[in-house]
């Protein structure tokens, strides 16, 4: 079931959301100071391509640096990426078949707002 949902997700919205994260990551990596944001964006792009069967957990070693980085990320990229997830999630929830995909989009909103200090792990 996860494979089927991931394939449908990839076709309907996963590819375009991942492209958004890749663009944000490239812009962040061009500016040397924001390379950690770029790496986090690439990590989320991978998650946005294939979200079913994986989840986001907090890293226990994340500290004040992650919090400050998340505030900066929120202002420059997180807000816009999360709006994309919300709009896509609402559009997908219009149909019965799209409801699981819309819920997956809503699941991506917190990590798109604050990606630093998070880790993406496979579900058992």
């Amino acid at each position: 079931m996860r494979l089927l949902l991931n394939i449908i997700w990839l076709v309907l919205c996963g590819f375009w959301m991942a492209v958004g994260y890749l663009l944000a990551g490239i812009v962040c990596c061009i500016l040397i100071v924001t390379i950690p944001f770029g790496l986090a964006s690439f990590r989320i792009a991978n998650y946005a391509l294939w979200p079913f069967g994986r989840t986001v957990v907090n890293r226990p070693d994340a500290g004040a640096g992650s919090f400050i980085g998340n505030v900066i990320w929120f202002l420059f990229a997180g807000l816009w990426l999360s709006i994309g997830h919300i709009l896509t999630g609402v559009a997908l929830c219009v149909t019965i078949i799209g409801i699981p995909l819309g819920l997956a989009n809503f699941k991506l909103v917190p990590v798109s707002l604050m990606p630093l200090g998070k880790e993406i792990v496979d579900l058992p």
Side-chain angles (χ1 to χ4, degrees):
M1 187 58 136
R2 289 179 186 170
L3 178 65
L4 179 64
L5 284 171
N6 276 322
I7 291 171
I8 294 170
W9 167 271
L10 184 65
V11 171
L12 292 180
C13 64
F15 177 75
W16 296 111
M17 295 308 292
V19 167
Y21 283 109
L22 287 174
L23 290 174
I26 289 170
V27 169
C28 289
C29 284
I30 289 173
L31 307 168
I32 302 301
V33 176
T34 56
I35 287 177
F37 301 123
L39 297 177
S41 185
F42 294 145
R43 190 171 54 243
I44 301 169
N46 183 21
Y47 184 49
L49 275 176
W50 210 257
F52 294 98
R54 299 194 287 176
T55 190
V56 178
V57 296
N58 291 326
R59 290 181 49 202
D61 60 344
S66 294
F67 175 75
I68 293 168
N70 280 331
V71 170
I72 295 169
W73 171 266
F74 175 81
L75 295 174
F76 290 106
L79 180 64
W80 308 111
L81 291 168
S82 65
I83 288 171
H85 282 297
I86 292 169
L87 292 177
T88 307
V90 168
L92 286 169
C93 283
V94 170
T95 65
I96 292 175
I97 294 172
I99 289 174
L101 304 174
L103 295 177
N105 252 315
F106 297 141
K107 185 174 83 169
L108 281 163
V109 170
V111 74
S112 70
L113 286 173
M114 294 180 259
L116 300 175
K118 307 280 190 216
E119 188 174 0
I120 298 165
V121 296
D122 291 331
L123 291 173

